[in-house]
Amino acid sequence: MNNEKEIIDDLVVGGIIGASLGALISNDKGKGATIGAIAGAALFATFNAHESAKKENLTLVYEENGVIYEEHNGKRRVLKNLERLNIVPKKSYKLK
């Protein structure tokens, strides 16, 4: 597992990457950068946790195409099929 300093470093890198993405998609650079930084740090931390779990041979639980799977020792098993919701997303959104 990563030590505390490596985890913090990973979050900083993820936040910087996220801030850049947030600034690109928002007219209000301050708010967009903040949201992007938080999202980037969360995604980066999640990816690192997933990779660490695989290295440590821990059981992984994840969703793929509406199915929740459990994976351990290279074997994957279905835990649950998720019900599809009939939600039609809006074609456009107004960012405030």
Side-chain angles (χ1 to χ4, degrees), residues 36-92:
I38 293 168
L43 289 170
F44 198 74
T46 301
F47 174 77
N48 281 344
H50 177 82
E51 292 301 308
S52 294
K54 283 171 56 175
K55 287 179 187 174
E56 297 290 328
N57 201 27
L58 299 173
T59 300
L60 301 173
V61 177
Y62 58 93
E63 183 272 338
E64 184 178 290
N65 297 321
V67 180
I68 298 177
Y69 294 99
E70 176 184 71
E71 187 174 323
H72 187 70
N73 291 333
K75 294 180 183 177
R76 186 165 94 162
R77 139 180 119 95
V78 174
L79 292 180
K80 183 176 184 175
N81 288 305
L82 300 175
E83 182 180 324
R84 295 234 180 234
L85 300 176
N86 293 326
I87 297 174
V88 179
K90 295 180 184 179
K91 292 185 180 189
S92 64

Side-chain angles (χ1 to χ4, degrees), residues 1-12 44 48:
M1 296 291 289
N2 291 344
N3 66 33
E4 192 172 317
K5 183 184 178 332
E6 289 173 323
I7 292 169
I8 292 170
D9 289 346
D10 289 346
L11 290 175
V12 169
F44 198 74
N48 281 344

